[in-house]
C-alpha cells in the first residue's frame, strides 16, 4: 500500500486499486500514462465523479466483491496540451471556479463548488474564443467551454449528459454570452444536464478540438488549474482499463 507516493515502476503488480477522488486518479494516470494494468477506483475525494460514472452509487463492500470477479472495461481518455484527463477540461467560468478553490480545503460533494459558483457567477466576463472541432469552426464570446470525456464533474454537475466513456469521441459544450440573472436561473438546469436545448448552448462531438484566445483563459483539467491561451485537445480511445 502506498500513501505518500506512487512507485515509479509497477512491475510485479497485477492491478492497481486507488482510493481517492478525481484529482488523485488524474495524478496517477499522468505519472503512469502508459499503464496497462487494470485499475479500480474507490471513492475518497470531494466529488468522485469518475467513480460515479464507473460504479454509480455502489457501496464499498459491493464494489470489492465485483472487483474480485475480474471483470474489466476499456475507457477512453483525453489529452490537453500533453496532460491526460478522464473527466474533462473546463474553460472560462468553470476554470475561474477552480481557480477560486486553489489552496482551499474542499468540502464534501458539491459544497465547495457551489460556494465558488456563487462568488463568481455575477462577476465573470465572457472571453472571445475560436474553436476548430475536426474542421468545424466556431468563433464567439464564450461564458464556458467544456470538453468532456465523461458525463459530469464538479461534484455532480452533468456538463456533458450525452458523453460516453467508450465512444472514441469528446463532447464539446459551448455556452455563449449570458446575463448574470440568467446564469443563476439556469444553473440548476445545467447541473441536471438538461441544458442542451437552451438557445445559448451549442453541443458537438469530435475527436480533436483546438481552442484559442488572445487572452489567457482560466481553465481546469480534471480539477487542476492550468490556464492558457491555446488548447490542443484530443481523445485517446481505449486508453485505460478499469475493474468493473
Amino acid at each position: 500500500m502506498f500513501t505518500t507516493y506512487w512507485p515509479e515502476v509497477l512491475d510485479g503488480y497485477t492491478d492497481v486499486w486507488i482510493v481517492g477522488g478525481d484529482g488523485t486518479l488524474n495524478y496517477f494516470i499522468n505519472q503512469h500514462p502508459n499503464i496497462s494494468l487494470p485499475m479500480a477506483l474507490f471513492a475518497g475525494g470531494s466529488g468522485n465523479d469518475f467513480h460515479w460514472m464507473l460504479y454509480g452509487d455502489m457501496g464499498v463492500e459491493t464494489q470489492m466483491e465485483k472487483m474480485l470477479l475480474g471483470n474489466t472495461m476499456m475507457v477512453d481518455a483525453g489529452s490537453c496540451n500533453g496532460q491526460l484527463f478522464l473527466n474533462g477540461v473546463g474553460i472560462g467560468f468553470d476554470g475561474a471556479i477552480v481557480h477560486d478553490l486553489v489552496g482551499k480545503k474542499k468540502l464534501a460533494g458539491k459544497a465547495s463548488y457551489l460556494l465558488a459558483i456563487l462568488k463568481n457567477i455575477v462577476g465573470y466576463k465572457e472571453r472571445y474564443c475560436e474553436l476548430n472541432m475536426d474542421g468545424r469552426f466556431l468563433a464567439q464570446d464564450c461564458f464556458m467551454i467544456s470538453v468532456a470525456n465523461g458525463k459530469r464533474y464538479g461534484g455532480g454537475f452533468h456538463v456533458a449528459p450525452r458523453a460516453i466513456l467508450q465512444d472514441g469521441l469528446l463532447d464539446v459544450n459551448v455556452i455563449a454570452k449570458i446575463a448574470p440573472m440568467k446564469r443563476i436561473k439556469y444553473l440548476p438546469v445545467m447541473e441536471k444536464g438538461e441544458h442542451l436545448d437552451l438557445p445559448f448552448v451549442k453541443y458537438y462531438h469530435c475527436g480533436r478540438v483546438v481552442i484559442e484566445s488572445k487572452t489567457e483563459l482560466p481553465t481546469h483539467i480534471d480539477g487542476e488549474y492550468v490556464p492558457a491561451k491555446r488548447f490542443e485537445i484530443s481523445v485517446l480511445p481505449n486508453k485505460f482499463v478499469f475493474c468493473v
Side-chain angles (χ1 to χ4, degrees):
M1 178 182 293
F2 302 92
T3 57
T4 58
Y5 69 96
W6 300 113
E8 293 184 5
V9 179
L10 296 173
D11 294 345
Y13 295 95
T14 58
D15 49 83
V16 175
W17 290 20
I18 300 170
V19 180
D22 298 328
T24 303
L25 179 60
N26 180 270
Y27 180 78
F28 179 82
I29 63 171
N30 278 281
Q31 291 296 305
H32 297 282
N34 297 314
I35 184 173
S36 59
L37 296 175
M39 293 180 281
L41 178 65
F42 291 87
S46 58
N48 304 306
D49 292 293
F50 195 76
H51 178 275
W52 177 86
M53 286 183 280
L54 289 178
Y55 309 112
D57 297 321
M58 189 182 300
V60 174
E61 292 185 3
T62 302
Q63 185 181 342
M64 290 190 70
E65 291 175 358
K66 288 182 70 67
M67 299 301 99
L68 296 174
L69 294 176
N71 296 322
T72 60
M73 178 178 75
M74 300 295 297
V75 303
D76 302 338
S79 174
C80 178
N81 293 350
Q83 181 172 337
L84 298 179
F85 64 89
L86 285 166
N87 285 342
V89 179
I91 300 172
F93 172 69
D94 211 19
I97 293 170
V98 172
H99 175 265
D100 196 56
L101 294 172
V102 172
K104 296 182 180 179
K105 184 177 180 179
K106 293 184 179 180
L107 305 173
K110 296 188 287 287
S112 294
Y113 202 67
L114 287 172
L115 288 173
I117 286 174
L118 293 174
K119 181 177 179 180
N120 289 281
I121 199 165
V122 174
Y124 183 77
K125 296 184 182 299
E126 290 84 353
R127 314 290 179 87
Y128 181 79
C129 300
E130 297 179 351
L131 296 84
N132 180 348
M133 297 164 287
D134 289 343
R136 289 172 294 179
F137 295 91
L138 178 66
Q140 65 178 51
D141 289 333
C142 297
F143 174 65
M144 186 172 83
I145 302 171
S146 303
V147 182
N149 183 47
K151 294 181 184 295
R152 69 179 228 185
Y153 55 69
F157 280 77
H158 290 72
V159 294
R162 295 177 183 169
I164 300 173
L165 291 172
Q166 300 163 292
D167 64 355
L169 294 169
L170 297 170
D171 288 43
V172 183
N173 182 49
V174 183
I175 299 180
K177 191 169 185 177
I178 176 173
M181 292 307 297
K182 285 189 176 181
R183 298 175 187 175
I184 297 171
K185 176 182 177 181
Y186 288 113
L187 179 62
V189 178
M190 296 177 190
E191 179 181 1
K192 296 176 183 177
E194 298 174 351
H195 57 286
L196 301 190
D197 292 328
L198 296 175
F200 49 83
V201 176
K202 296 178 181 177
Y203 199 87
Y204 305 88
H205 291 99
C206 65
R208 184 175 185 271
V209 55
V210 176
I211 302 169
E212 295 183 279
S213 177
K214 293 182 179 179
T215 61
E216 187 174 76
L217 300 172
T219 303
H220 76 82
I221 301 176
D222 276 357
E224 179 184 352
Y225 187 66
V226 283
K229 293 182 180 180
R230 177 182 170 87
F231 305 88
E232 296 186 11
I233 308 173
S234 58
V235 68
L236 304 172
N238 295 324
K239 176 64 176 175
F240 297 113
V241 57
F242 279 86
C243 304
V244 293

